[in-house]
Amino acid sequence: MQVFREFKFEAAHRLPHVPDGHKCSRLHGHSYRFTVFVGGPVDAELGWVMDFGDIKAVVEPVVRELDHYYLNDIAGLENPTSEVLAQWLWNRIAPDLGGLESVEVRETCTSGCRYGAPKT
């Protein structure tokens, strides 16, 4: 079974490595949304995989690090593409959230990416 919880934050960024003249090289912002997916068996007594509040408790401190900040100034997000952000979120969340299967980042309503556990 897989459960998910969605989070959002507002932030500015620019992409420093795109070709000259690319619109994303200019400072701009997004209303980011990201979803954390956790998998595991349904607990027979509780009837859930994980309490949504437990997911929130792990993720909300990470959201506070991003909300209303310039992403390029955050260590590890110097080139804050959706792909880099998804992996950064994974690395910040995974140590404290057992069962994490993937993180999906959307920087617009129609564009985003999903990062999952590296294959071994």
Side-chain angles (χ1 to χ4, degrees):
M1 182 75 68
Q2 189 177 69
V3 297
F4 64 90
R5 176 117 191 210
E6 186 171 284
F7 300 87
K8 60 185 178 177
F9 65 94
E10 308 288 334
H13 77 151
R14 61 177 296 278
L15 301 182
H17 304 298
V18 295
D20 288 342
H22 192 287
K23 67 181 182 177
C24 293
S25 69
R26 296 188 300 272
L27 179 64
H28 63 284
H30 293 287
S31 296
Y32 287 93
R33 292 187 177 274
F34 72 96
T35 307
V36 173
F37 295 87
V38 175
V42 176
D43 184 282
E45 183 177 334
L46 295 172
W48 63 32
V49 172
M50 180 179 286
D51 185 332
F52 292 119
D54 291 343
I55 299 171
K56 181 180 179 181
V58 170
V59 177
E60 280 294 327
V62 177
V63 172
R64 286 193 296 272
E65 292 180 53
L66 302 170
D67 191 36
H68 285 82
Y69 282 94
Y70 178 53
L71 298 182
N72 299 67
D73 285 345
I74 297 172
L77 294 177
E78 295 83 4
N79 183 32
T81 63
S82 291
E83 295 86 346
V84 170
L85 179 57
Q87 191 170 16
W88 185 90
L89 286 163
W90 171 278
N91 290 333
R92 300 280 294 146
I93 295 167
D96 298 317
L97 189 61
L100 181 62
E101 291 187 351
S102 63
V103 175
E104 181 179 274
V105 171
R106 285 161 296 200
E107 64 178 50
T108 70
C109 295
T110 59
S111 300
C113 71
R114 184 179 283 189
Y115 180 78
K119 305 286 187 232
T120 56

